[in-house]
Amino acid sequence: MKIDQSKLPSQTNGAQSPAVKSQVDSMRANQQASTTPQSKPAPAANVDISSASASAAQAAKEALRGEKPLDTELLDKIRERIASGDFQIDYDKVAENILADAISSAAARRRAQ
């Protein structure tokens, strides 16, 4: 932000109230601080993205080992039913499963503490 010095009351004006004078002094100090070059602080940590992504990929592979393989036949049947308009979603069952997952996750976090 640049302050136009011509619009500030002059410091030599004896009629200036103490509150106005402190505001003017504060504005001038901020302007001077913003125009002086600041040195950049050293980073708190260095992160190697390639090693982070490699460990994330490894963790994902390990997580998938315990998962069941995809049932491609079932997926194809569901896709066909969706395309033909015969697939009906049981919204109550979906909501129950979402809530059950949330409750079990919260319970697991409490046990871990």
mmCIF file of all heavy atoms in Angstrom, residues 36-60:
data_model
loop_
_atom_site.group_PDB
_atom_site.id
_atom_site.type_symbol
_atom_site.label_atom_id
_atom_site.label_comp_id
_atom_site.label_asym_id
_atom_site.label_seq_id
_atom_site.Cartn_x
_atom_site.Cartn_y
_atom_site.Cartn_z
ATOM 1 N N THR A 36 11.191 -1.047 2.861
ATOM 2 C CA THR A 36 12.523 -1.597 3.132
ATOM 3 C C THR A 36 12.523 -3.074 2.771
ATOM 4 O O THR A 36 11.571 -3.789 3.053
ATOM 5 C CB THR A 36 12.905 -1.425 4.623
ATOM 6 O OG1 THR A 36 11.913 -2.057 5.418
ATOM 7 C CG2 THR A 36 13.016 0.032 4.997
ATOM 8 N N PRO A 37 13.594 -3.544 2.134
ATOM 9 C CA PRO A 37 13.627 -4.950 1.735
ATOM 10 C C PRO A 37 13.682 -5.866 2.956
ATOM 11 O O PRO A 37 14.395 -5.607 3.907
ATOM 12 C CB PRO A 37 14.906 -5.073 0.897
ATOM 13 C CG PRO A 37 15.724 -3.877 1.236
ATOM 14 C CD PRO A 37 14.795 -2.823 1.749
ATOM 15 N N GLN A 38 12.891 -6.904 2.913
ATOM 16 C CA GLN A 38 12.839 -7.889 3.994
ATOM 17 C C GLN A 38 13.615 -9.128 3.564
ATOM 18 O O GLN A 38 13.510 -9.563 2.430
ATOM 19 C CB GLN A 38 11.378 -8.286 4.266
ATOM 20 C CG GLN A 38 10.480 -7.133 4.629
ATOM 21 C CD GLN A 38 10.553 -6.803 6.105
ATOM 22 O OE1 GLN A 38 10.857 -7.666 6.901
ATOM 23 N NE2 GLN A 38 10.294 -5.558 6.456
ATOM 24 N N SER A 39 14.385 -9.692 4.473
ATOM 25 C CA SER A 39 15.073 -10.933 4.146
ATOM 26 C C SER A 39 14.106 -12.090 4.351
ATOM 27 O O SER A 39 13.280 -12.068 5.250
ATOM 28 C CB SER A 39 16.315 -11.112 5.026
ATOM 29 O OG SER A 39 15.919 -11.200 6.372
ATOM 30 N N LYS A 40 14.207 -13.086 3.497
ATOM 31 C CA LYS A 40 13.306 -14.230 3.583
ATOM 32 C C LYS A 40 13.780 -15.150 4.708
ATOM 33 O O LYS A 40 14.970 -15.425 4.825
ATOM 34 C CB LYS A 40 13.294 -15.006 2.267
ATOM 35 C CG LYS A 40 12.632 -14.260 1.148
ATOM 36 C CD LYS A 40 12.549 -15.131 -0.086
ATOM 37 C CE LYS A 40 11.856 -14.395 -1.214
ATOM 38 N NZ LYS A 40 11.753 -15.215 -2.407
ATOM 39 N N PRO A 41 12.849 -15.647 5.516
ATOM 40 C CA PRO A 41 13.243 -16.580 6.571
ATOM 41 C C PRO A 41 13.627 -17.929 5.964
ATOM 42 O O PRO A 41 13.169 -18.302 4.883
ATOM 43 C CB PRO A 41 11.992 -16.699 7.434
ATOM 44 C CG PRO A 41 10.864 -16.338 6.528
ATOM 45 C CD PRO A 41 11.430 -15.347 5.545
ATOM 46 N N ALA A 42 14.455 -18.642 6.667
ATOM 47 C CA ALA A 42 14.864 -19.966 6.201
ATOM 48 C C ALA A 42 13.673 -20.911 6.309
ATOM 49 O O ALA A 42 12.855 -20.783 7.218
ATOM 50 C CB ALA A 42 16.016 -20.480 7.046
ATOM 51 N N PRO A 43 13.548 -21.853 5.386
ATOM 52 C CA PRO A 43 12.424 -22.791 5.467
ATOM 53 C C PRO A 43 12.536 -23.653 6.716
ATOM 54 O O PRO A 43 13.631 -23.986 7.169
ATOM 55 C CB PRO A 43 12.548 -23.632 4.195
ATOM 56 C CG PRO A 43 13.958 -23.464 3.753
ATOM 57 C CD PRO A 43 14.412 -22.134 4.237
ATOM 58 N N ALA A 44 11.385 -23.987 7.289
ATOM 59 C CA ALA A 44 11.356 -24.806 8.499
ATOM 60 C C ALA A 44 11.732 -26.246 8.196
ATOM 61 O O ALA A 44 12.282 -26.942 9.037
ATOM 62 C CB ALA A 44 9.973 -24.750 9.128
ATOM 63 N N ALA A 45 11.430 -26.702 6.977
ATOM 64 C CA ALA A 45 11.734 -28.079 6.607
ATOM 65 C C ALA A 45 11.865 -28.168 5.097
ATOM 66 O O ALA A 45 11.268 -27.391 4.364
ATOM 67 C CB ALA A 45 10.629 -29.009 7.079
ATOM 68 N N ASN A 46 12.645 -29.109 4.652
ATOM 69 C CA ASN A 46 12.749 -29.401 3.227
ATOM 70 C C ASN A 46 12.026 -30.713 2.971
ATOM 71 O O ASN A 46 12.207 -31.682 3.706
ATOM 72 C CB ASN A 46 14.215 -29.521 2.800
ATOM 73 C CG ASN A 46 14.917 -28.184 2.852
ATOM 74 O OD1 ASN A 46 14.329 -27.166 2.539
ATOM 75 N ND2 ASN A 46 16.172 -28.185 3.255
ATOM 76 N N VAL A 47 11.216 -30.748 1.935
ATOM 77 C CA VAL A 47 10.443 -31.933 1.611
ATOM 78 C C VAL A 47 10.862 -32.434 0.248
ATOM 79 O O VAL A 47 10.894 -31.678 -0.716
ATOM 80 C CB VAL A 47 8.924 -31.621 1.613
ATOM 81 C CG1 VAL A 47 8.126 -32.850 1.222
ATOM 82 C CG2 VAL A 47 8.496 -31.114 2.970
ATOM 83 N N ASP A 48 11.180 -33.710 0.194
ATOM 84 C CA ASP A 48 11.523 -34.338 -1.072
ATOM 85 C C ASP A 48 10.259 -34.982 -1.622
ATOM 86 O O ASP A 48 9.795 -35.991 -1.112
ATOM 87 C CB ASP A 48 12.625 -35.381 -0.860
ATOM 88 C CG ASP A 48 13.085 -36.014 -2.154
ATOM 89 O OD1 ASP A 48 12.709 -35.513 -3.228
ATOM 90 O OD2 ASP A 48 13.819 -37.008 -2.096
ATOM 91 N N ILE A 49 9.674 -34.370 -2.635
ATOM 92 C CA ILE A 49 8.395 -34.827 -3.171
ATOM 93 C C ILE A 49 8.494 -36.232 -3.735
ATOM 94 O O ILE A 49 7.611 -37.047 -3.549
ATOM 95 C CB ILE A 49 7.877 -33.856 -4.247
ATOM 96 C CG1 ILE A 49 7.657 -32.474 -3.662
ATOM 97 C CG2 ILE A 49 6.602 -34.368 -4.890
ATOM 98 C CD1 ILE A 49 6.642 -32.410 -2.563
ATOM 99 N N SER A 50 9.587 -36.548 -4.390
ATOM 100 C CA SER A 50 9.685 -37.865 -5.010
ATOM 101 C C SER A 50 9.679 -38.972 -3.963
ATOM 102 O O SER A 50 9.044 -40.001 -4.155
ATOM 103 C CB SER A 50 10.931 -37.952 -5.889
ATOM 104 O OG SER A 50 12.092 -37.751 -5.104
ATOM 105 N N SER A 51 10.348 -38.778 -2.831
ATOM 106 C CA SER A 51 10.329 -39.818 -1.803
ATOM 107 C C SER A 51 8.975 -39.881 -1.119
ATOM 108 O O SER A 51 8.500 -40.952 -0.748
ATOM 109 C CB SER A 51 11.441 -39.585 -0.778
ATOM 110 O OG SER A 51 11.190 -38.411 -0.042
ATOM 111 N N ALA A 52 8.314 -38.731 -0.979
ATOM 112 C CA ALA A 52 6.989 -38.715 -0.370
ATOM 113 C C ALA A 52 5.985 -39.435 -1.262
ATOM 114 O O ALA A 52 5.158 -40.209 -0.781
ATOM 115 C CB ALA A 52 6.535 -37.288 -0.109
ATOM 116 N N SER A 53 6.068 -39.195 -2.559
ATOM 117 C CA SER A 53 5.129 -39.868 -3.460
ATOM 118 C C SER A 53 5.426 -41.355 -3.557
ATOM 119 O O SER A 53 4.509 -42.164 -3.681
ATOM 120 C CB SER A 53 5.151 -39.221 -4.841
ATOM 121 O OG SER A 53 6.426 -39.372 -5.437
ATOM 122 N N ALA A 54 6.689 -41.723 -3.465
ATOM 123 C CA ALA A 54 7.038 -43.142 -3.502
ATOM 124 C C ALA A 54 6.496 -43.863 -2.277
ATOM 125 O O ALA A 54 5.953 -44.966 -2.378
ATOM 126 C CB ALA A 54 8.554 -43.307 -3.583
ATOM 127 N N SER A 55 6.602 -43.244 -1.110
ATOM 128 C CA SER A 55 6.079 -43.901 0.089
ATOM 129 C C SER A 55 4.556 -43.934 0.074
ATOM 130 O O SER A 55 3.948 -44.887 0.551
ATOM 131 C CB SER A 55 6.604 -43.262 1.368
ATOM 132 O OG SER A 55 6.572 -41.888 1.325
ATOM 133 N N ALA A 56 3.906 -42.924 -0.503
ATOM 134 C CA ALA A 56 2.448 -42.942 -0.615
ATOM 135 C C ALA A 56 2.002 -44.044 -1.569
ATOM 136 O O ALA A 56 1.018 -44.742 -1.311
ATOM 137 C CB ALA A 56 1.939 -41.593 -1.090
ATOM 138 N N ALA A 57 2.715 -44.207 -2.661
ATOM 139 C CA ALA A 57 2.383 -45.275 -3.614
ATOM 140 C C ALA A 57 2.566 -46.643 -2.975
ATOM 141 O O ALA A 57 1.746 -47.548 -3.176
ATOM 142 C CB ALA A 57 3.248 -45.151 -4.863
ATOM 143 N N GLN A 58 3.632 -46.795 -2.188
ATOM 144 C CA GLN A 58 3.878 -48.063 -1.499
ATOM 145 C C GLN A 58 2.764 -48.352 -0.498
ATOM 146 O O GLN A 58 2.285 -49.479 -0.395
ATOM 147 C CB GLN A 58 5.241 -48.038 -0.803
ATOM 148 C CG GLN A 58 5.596 -49.313 -0.091
ATOM 149 C CD GLN A 58 5.756 -50.487 -1.047
ATOM 150 O OE1 GLN A 58 6.121 -50.315 -2.204
ATOM 151 N NE2 GLN A 58 5.471 -51.678 -0.568
ATOM 152 N N ALA A 59 2.343 -47.338 0.246
ATOM 153 C CA ALA A 59 1.267 -47.512 1.217
ATOM 154 C C ALA A 59 -0.034 -47.893 0.523
ATOM 155 O O ALA A 59 -0.792 -48.725 1.017
ATOM 156 C CB ALA A 59 1.089 -46.240 2.033
ATOM 157 N N ALA A 60 -0.286 -47.298 -0.640
ATOM 158 C CA ALA A 60 -1.496 -47.625 -1.391
ATOM 159 C C ALA A 60 -1.462 -49.071 -1.877
ATOM 160 O O ALA A 60 -2.464 -49.779 -1.818
ATOM 161 C CB ALA A 60 -1.651 -46.672 -2.566
#
